[in-house]
C-alpha cells in the first residue's frame, strides 16, 4: 500500500519552536504510515483580496502543496488565546479566491504543545471553527493538548517514554481518520 502523503502545517515560525519539535517527533514516530511534507507558511505575503487574480509564486506553491496531500496535521501554539496570525494568513491564502479552496475536503487533525496547563485547547477550538468553514473534516477525538515540561523530548528530539505511547495512539487514530475521509 502506498504511504499517505500528509501535509504538516506548523503555526510557529520561531527557530526553537516547541511545536516544530513536536511536528518533527510525530514524523519520526509515524514514518511507517505516512510520507510527510512540511508546508511552510512563513514566506507568504499578508493576505489581500486584491491579489486573488494574480497570486504570487509562493502562494501558488502553498496551494499546490496542499492539493498534493491526502491529509493534514496542524501543529500550532496558542497566541493570545487564539491561532497565530501566520497560520490564519496561510488558511486565508489557501482558501482563495472563492471557488479555489485548496484546503477543502482534506482530512485533518490538530495538535499543539505549550508550557501552559491547558496546552493549546483554546487555539484548537478557534482553529476548528475556521477549518469547518473551509470544509476540512477535522478529527474530533482524541483531542491532543500537550503541556511541555522539561524532558518531554529526549536529547534526540523523540518523545520521552511516557509520552510516546500516548501520542502514538493519536497518530494511529489519525491514520484511520485519513483513510476513512480522504477524497
Amino acid at each position: 500500500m502506498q504511504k499517505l502523503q500528509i501535509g504538516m502545517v506548523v503555526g510557529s515560525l520561531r527557530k526553537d519552536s516547541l511545536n516544530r519539535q513536536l511536528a518533527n517527533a510525530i514524523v519520526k514516530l509515524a514514518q511507517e504510515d505516512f510520507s510527510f511534507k512540511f508546508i511552510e507558511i512563513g514566506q507568504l505575503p499578508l493576505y489581500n483580496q486584491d491579489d486573488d487574480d494574480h497570486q504570487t509564486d509562493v502562494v501558488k506553491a502553498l496551494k499546490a502543496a496542499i492539493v498534493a496531500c491526502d491529509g493534514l496535521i496542524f501543529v500550532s501554539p496558542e497566541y493570545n488565546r487564539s491561532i497565530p496570525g501566520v497560520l490564519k494568513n496561510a488558511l486565508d491564502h489557501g482558501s482563495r479566491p472563492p471557488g479555489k479552496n485548496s484546503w477543502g475536503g482534506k482530512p485533518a487533525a490538530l495538535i499543539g504543545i505549550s508550557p501552559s496547563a491547558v496546552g493549546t485547547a483554546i487555539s484548537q477550538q478557534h482553529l476548528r471553527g475556521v477549518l469547518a468553514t473551509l470544509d476540512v473534516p477535522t478529527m474530533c477525538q482524541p483531542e491532543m493538548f500537550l503541556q511541555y515540561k522539561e524532558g518531554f523530548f529526549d536529547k534526540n528530539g523523540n518523545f520521552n517514554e511516557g509520552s510516546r505511547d500516548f501520542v502514538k495512539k493519536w497518530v494511529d487514530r489519525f491514520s484511520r481518520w485519513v483513510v476513512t475521509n480522504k477524497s
Side-chain angles (χ1 to χ4, degrees):
M1 183 173 125
Q2 185 176 0
K3 288 186 177 187
L4 298 169
Q5 177 70 38
I6 304 300
M8 187 71 77
V9 183
V10 179
S12 174
L13 302 180
R14 192 169 65 86
K15 181 181 74 150
D16 294 324
S17 163
L18 292 173
N19 285 278
R20 175 74 59 176
Q21 291 176 53
L22 176 60
N24 287 327
I26 290 169
V27 168
K28 290 191 262 184
L29 182 68
Q31 285 180 344
E32 70 257 8
D33 296 330
F34 305 126
S35 171
F36 288 94
K37 167 83 173 148
F38 277 80
I39 298 176
E40 299 300 335
I41 61 176
Q43 299 302 312
L44 294 168
L46 290 176
Y47 175 73
N48 180 339
Q49 189 174 0
D50 291 341
D51 297 332
D52 279 357
D53 292 333
H54 50 280
Q55 294 174 324
T56 65
D57 289 342
V58 71
V59 172
K60 290 176 186 174
L62 168 80
K63 293 175 72 70
I66 297 164
V67 168
C69 293
D70 296 308
L72 303 162
I73 296 177
F74 290 90
V75 186
S76 185
E78 183 171 299
Y79 290 174
N80 300 315
R81 299 286 190 239
S82 192
I83 61 177
V86 68
L87 178 54
K88 179 64 168 77
N89 189 52
L91 292 166
D92 291 343
H93 274 297
S95 69
R96 303 300 294 206
K100 305 282 184 179
N101 177 13
S102 301
W103 304 106
K106 301 290 179 183
L110 315 179
I111 192 168
I113 191 166
S114 168
S116 166
V118 297
T120 58
I122 298 170
S123 172
Q124 287 187 34
Q125 288 304 318
H126 287 190
L127 183 53
R128 284 182 193 287
V130 175
L131 294 176
T133 299
L134 298 180
D135 189 31
V136 176
T138 305
M139 185 173 82
C140 294
Q141 294 295 323
E143 293 178 301
M144 189 61 65
F145 317 123
L146 301 171
Q147 182 181 21
Y148 177 78
K149 293 184 179 179
E150 190 66 37
F152 188 89
F153 301 107
D154 69 17
K155 64 181 174 162
N156 297 317
N158 299 308
F159 293 107
N160 68 31
E161 191 174 317
S163 300
R164 185 185 191 288
D165 291 340
F166 183 67
V167 177
K168 180 69 169 125
K169 288 177 186 173
W170 180 87
V171 169
D172 292 344
R173 176 68 178 92
F174 175 66
S175 179
R176 293 189 305 275
W177 179 256
V178 173
V179 170
T180 303
N181 292 283
K182 70 184 181 96
S183 311

